[in-house]
Amino acid sequence: MSKFVILDTETTGTQEEDRIIQLGFLELDGSGCVVYNDLCSSEIDIKIEAMETHGITPNMIEKKPICKETKSYKRLLELNEDSNYLIIHNAKFDINMLAKEGFDNKMGVIDTLKCAKHLYKDVSSHRLQYFRYYLKLYEKENEEATKLNIEVKAHDAIGDVLVLKLFLTELKKKI
């Protein structure tokens, strides 16, 4: 049976030298949902603009393992089969960041940013946080977060994954 991996990363920045400092995802199959969420260290300093966005500071990742050594990354490697699917908002960015960590994706990819641009042509933005408010997903997120034992914070990998899970439900309805 195929598994679906709803994934997001937070990084030291958006340039070529930048790396993952948080990897979060939900693994879904017909029987349930498992949460993976790890902060990771990096030899690349976190840019101020990145800290401003996600709130991850150097002291928060100081003694954490590098991305490749986290439980999340190791599980992602186990799931990396062509029968499984990655679901990501702006997939190109996260897949490129994962590739810098040595991850060669074999999973099918569903990019919800591309889906959003197709299904919501008339909205002014296609950012995930825009849809959080536009579709009133914030009204449902606390209940979902409690079920999954997740803390919802904007621009936090696992918080964004939760919002993406809710957004995916709205995309399916729209189709």
Side-chain angles (χ1 to χ4, degrees), residues 13-167:
T14 59
Q15 304 303 311
E16 182 56 36
E17 71 273 6
D18 289 307
R19 296 295 183 267
I20 294 172
I21 54 173
Q22 185 183 18
L23 175 60
F25 64 88
L26 299 177
E27 175 187 337
L28 296 100
D29 60 21
S31 62
C33 179
V34 181
V35 178
Y36 292 88
N37 183 35
D38 286 304
L39 288 172
C40 16
S41 67
S42 173
E43 291 182 4
I44 304 300
D45 291 337
I46 307 170
K47 291 178 176 65
I48 299 297
E49 296 82 5
M51 281 189 259
E52 178 185 23
T53 300
H54 53 55
I56 300 171
T57 60
N59 62 320
M60 294 169 69
I61 63 170
E62 190 174 331
K63 297 192 187 218
K64 301 292 183 184
I66 61 170
C67 185
K68 284 178 155 180
E69 295 173 358
T70 64
K71 181 180 176 184
S72 297
Y73 185 87
K74 291 174 183 176
R75 180 61 183 149
L76 193 61
L77 285 175
E78 293 170 355
L79 293 165
N80 194 20
E81 300 175 2
D82 62 4
S83 60
N84 295 330
Y85 294 89
L86 273 175
I87 302 170
I88 306 173
H89 199 78
N90 192 12
K92 183 178 179 182
F93 177 81
D94 294 290
I95 290 172
N96 285 341
M97 284 294 181
L98 285 165
K100 293 178 193 181
E101 304 296 340
F103 186 80
D104 179 24
N105 183 50
K106 295 175 177 60
M107 291 184 262
V109 176
I110 299 170
D111 187 341
T112 56
L113 176 60
K114 289 181 179 179
C115 297
K117 286 180 176 182
H118 179 73
L119 295 171
Y120 293 94
K121 291 178 182 157
D122 297 329
V123 300
S124 62
S125 173
H126 294 96
R127 291 184 313 273
L128 183 60
Q129 289 303 313
Y130 179 89
F131 284 109
R132 179 184 189 200
Y133 297 104
Y134 179 75
L135 297 172
K136 298 182 180 180
L137 301 176
Y138 61 88
E139 293 177 352
K140 303 171 189 172
E141 66 190 20
N142 285 334
E143 180 181 342
E144 189 72 17
T146 300
K147 280 193 257 180
L148 298 171
N149 197 27
I150 291 174
E151 182 181 354
V152 177
K153 295 185 285 185
H155 302 294
D156 168 78
I158 202 64
D160 286 353
V161 164
L162 178 77
V163 173
L164 183 52
K165 181 178 186 289
L166 295 170
F167 182 49

